[in-house]
């Protein structure tokens, strides 16, 4: 299990390859990457991401541990950045490794659903017209209920 | 006790953390004490349904006990990923 909270960019190709190489019993690796998307008007300059040092690492560790318990995974990884991240840059990635793809896909989705609303990060959008905190979406909260059965 | 604020709660109160001397038994009691202090706290805590709270880095409800707590954090719903 590899959990990283960092300001620096990461290299998706290197991280995905390194993660896959470390596995020995897996036939499936799934990765998901989140990228800073521009507004429809194209005015966004960057995202400023704040987090709660200490709690962030603990929450991500707990979410990954839950995934490893719930699915038959060999390994899981989460990288999440904070600070100023420009449009088009990568914010975060998760990777899961399992014998078969179903476990790897489902566990990756579970990690994403919990990261969205249970990991202490807050996004501020800074655009040419001003700055504002991104509001949490109700769908993100609803997404958690399907994992609670 | 250390009290931490994040995102717009931090902006509204005007500081990221402070040490508070309190006898508050629950999070709700602490919130009431803070609101009574100054207008900027009242503004930040005006709508508790828009806030989340963690005691010693664990998410809890506003009725949670503060017995033995070292750190309380207030913030809006999280927007990770």
């Amino acid at each position: 299990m590899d959990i990283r909270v960092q300001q620096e960019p990461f290299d998706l190709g290197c991280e995905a390859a390194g993660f896959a190489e470390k596995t020995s019993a897996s036939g499936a690796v799934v990765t998901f990457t989140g990228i800073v998307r521009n507004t429809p008007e194209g005015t966004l300059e960057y995202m400023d991401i704040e987090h709660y040092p200490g709690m962030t690492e603990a929450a991500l560790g707990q979410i990954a541990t839950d995934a490893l318990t719930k699915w038959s995974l060999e390994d899981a990884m989460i990288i999440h950045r904070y600070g100023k991240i420009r449009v088009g840059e990568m914010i975060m990635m998760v990777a899961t490794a399992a014998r078969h793809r179903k476990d790897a896909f489902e566990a990756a989705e579970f990690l994403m659903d919990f990261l969205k609303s249970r990991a202490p990060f807050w996004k501020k959008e800074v655009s040419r017209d001003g700055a504002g905190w991104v509001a949490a979406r109700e769908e993100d909260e609803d997404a958690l209920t399907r994992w609670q059965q | 006790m250390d009290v931490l604020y994040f995102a717009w709660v931090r902006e509204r109160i005007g500081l990221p953390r402070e040490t508070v001397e309190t006898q508050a038994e629950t999070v709700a009691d602490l919130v009431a004490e803070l609101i009574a202090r100054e207008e900027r706290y009242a503004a930040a805590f005006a709508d508790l349904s828009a806030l989340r709270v963690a005691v010693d880095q664990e998410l809890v409800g506003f009725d949670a006990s503060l017995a033995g707590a070292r750190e309380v954090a207030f913030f809006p719903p999280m927007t990770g990923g």
Side-chain angles (χ1 to χ4, degrees):
Chain A
M1 197 170 99
D2 186 4
I3 307 290
R4 279 179 265 162
V5 181
Q6 62 186 49
Q7 208 157 359
E8 316 77 62
F10 57 87
D11 183 322
L12 174 63
C14 282
E15 296 297 346
F19 179 79
E21 274 162 25
K22 270 195 303 174
T23 64
S24 55
S26 294
V29 166
V30 165
T31 67
F32 173 87
T33 313
I35 298 172
V36 177
R37 171 185 58 228
N38 212 330
T39 53
E41 304 77 30
T43 53
L44 187 67
E45 297 196 336
Y46 61 88
M47 199 85 103
D48 203 351
I49 301 182
E50 182 171 334
H51 80 114
Y52 184 170
M55 181 173 168
T56 308
E57 290 79 359
L60 296 183
Q62 187 57 56
I63 293 165
T65 302
D66 289 349
L68 287 161
T69 314
K70 213 164 152 67
W71 285 275
S72 174
L73 297 184
E74 183 182 348
D75 201 5
M77 172 168 84
I78 303 173
I79 300 177
H80 204 304
R81 296 177 62 197
Y82 62 91
K84 280 184 188 171
I85 307 179
R86 306 196 73 84
V87 170
E89 277 187 53
M90 292 175 198
I91 303 176
M92 52 78 59
M93 70 171 287
V94 302
T96 54
R99 286 187 68 81
H100 301 288
R101 71 176 185 278
K102 191 167 184 287
D103 283 322
F105 269 121
E106 279 188 14
E109 239 189 314
F110 170 90
L111 290 178
M112 285 313 304
D113 283 348
F114 275 82
L115 264 167
K116 280 270 168 203
S117 37
R118 289 293 181 273
F121 290 98
W122 299 275
K123 294 192 183 112
K124 188 180 216 179
E125 287 180 339
V126 181
S127 72
R128 289 202 291 276
D129 318 321
W133 293 97
V134 174
R137 302 187 321 159
E138 217 163 292
E139 303 97 273
D140 289 338
E141 193 60 35
D142 294 346
L144 300 186
T145 54
R146 75 166 157 142
W147 304 113
Q148 279 152 7
Q149 294 133 24
Chain B
M1 182 184 300
D2 287 325
V3 183
L4 284 69
Y5 311 107
F6 291 97
W8 60 255
V9 186
R10 170 179 56 72
E11 290 178 341
R12 221 164 274 186
I13 290 172
L15 75 179
R17 68 187 301 153
E18 61 185 322
T19 303
V20 172
E21 292 299 326
T22 178
Q23 302 301 318
E25 286 180 10
T26 65
V27 173
D29 294 342
L30 174 64
V31 169
E33 281 182 17
L34 292 170
I35 286 175
R37 273 181 164 188
E38 275 177 61
E39 178 50 36
R40 58 198 167 109
Y41 290 94
F45 290 106
D47 178 10
L48 290 189
S49 71
L51 291 179
R52 300 291 178 270
V53 57
V55 172
D56 290 333
Q57 306 192 354
E58 291 264 356
L59 278 177
V60 294
F62 281 84
D63 55 353
S65 164
L66 290 180
R70 296 180 308 275
E71 184 173 296
V72 180
F74 296 100
F75 41 79
M78 296 160 270
T79 52

